[in-house]
Amino acid sequence: MNKIEIVACDKDDLKTLQRVSRQTFSDTFDEYNTKENMNKFLEDAYSQETLLKELDDINSQFYLAKVDGDIAGYLKENYKDGEFVLERIYVEKTFQKYGLGKILLDHAISAAKLNHCDHINLGVWEHNENAKAFYKKMGFERISQHIFNLGDDPQTDYILTKKL
């Protein structure tokens, strides 16, 4: 049996958070984007400066998923003005058959309920079929969309919601 833990991140976890953020995003989206756009996005979105600002944001919280002590993924939750948004949920490829996506999502749903939210929102890339199927199975419904710029490529993210 594997020991699975979800632990809160702080500034001491910055380099680990940066590594897992870049690796999981790259693993998920590399094949769909140019090298230039991907490199620019990874450098900007997951720079130490950007991640430190996010870690300092009182409305956000990062959590690392560990399997037998190894970093296996992470999530980022945002809560502000009664709105709960699951901004990021990523699992390392080698750990994708452990049910970590559901465990991380359950963690976010519990946090949303503790904050007395009646729903949880998230964005998912329109072409990420695995993630869309997962969220549909978990009871999310599409309510809108917005543009997500990856480098100079405007892409469409679907906004999904789940009533709690």
Side-chain angles (χ1 to χ4, degrees):
M1 183 77 159
N2 298 96
K3 180 181 177 187
I4 297 173
E5 300 174 277
I6 307 298
V7 296
C9 285
D10 60 27
K11 291 179 183 179
D12 292 338
D13 299 306
L14 177 62
K15 288 187 179 188
T16 299
L17 179 61
Q18 183 182 42
R19 181 195 59 77
V20 73
S21 295
R22 287 178 171 172
Q23 185 64 52
T24 55
F25 193 90
S26 181
D27 286 348
T28 304
F29 301 111
D30 246 357
E31 67 182 288
Y32 306 103
N33 296 282
T34 67
K35 184 177 179 90
E36 296 77 23
N37 280 340
M38 185 61 83
N39 287 342
K40 176 156 181 35
F41 180 82
L42 294 174
E43 285 300 316
D44 294 344
Y46 301 126
S47 70
Q48 287 190 7
E49 180 182 357
T50 299
L51 290 172
L52 275 173
K53 285 180 188 175
E54 292 178 336
L55 284 165
D56 281 339
D57 185 343
I58 62 169
N59 298 308
S60 296
Q61 180 63 58
F62 285 90
Y63 294 92
L64 293 173
K66 296 182 177 184
V67 175
D68 295 332
D70 294 325
I71 304 300
Y74 79 105
L75 68 96
K76 180 184 179 198
E77 303 169 346
N78 296 322
Y79 172 75
K80 186 174 181 181
D81 300 328
E83 172 117 14
F84 194 94
V85 177
L86 178 53
E87 185 177 335
R88 297 179 202 144
I89 183 170
Y90 288 101
V91 175
E92 295 264 7
K93 279 189 173 186
T94 56
F95 292 100
Q96 289 187 349
K97 301 300 179 199
Y98 288 77
L100 288 175
K102 183 175 182 330
I103 290 168
L104 288 167
L105 180 58
D106 287 345
H107 185 278
I109 290 169
S110 293
K113 288 178 179 179
L114 284 172
N115 282 289
H116 308 289
C117 295
D118 62 0
H119 67 282
I120 185 171
N121 291 338
L122 58 85
V124 62
W125 185 43
E126 68 179 327
H127 300 296
N128 190 341
E129 299 303 328
N130 288 339
K132 290 187 327 187
F134 170 73
Y135 291 125
K136 182 176 182 178
K137 180 180 171 185
M138 297 293 110
F140 283 81
E141 297 177 351
R142 181 178 167 194
I143 56 169
S144 66
Q145 64 188 43
H146 70 208
I147 298 299
F148 176 88
N149 289 305
L150 197 137
D152 64 7
D153 183 14
Q155 300 180 0
T156 301
D157 274 3
Y158 293 158
I159 307 303
L160 309 180
T161 194
K162 176 182 175 73
K163 293 183 181 178
L164 304 178

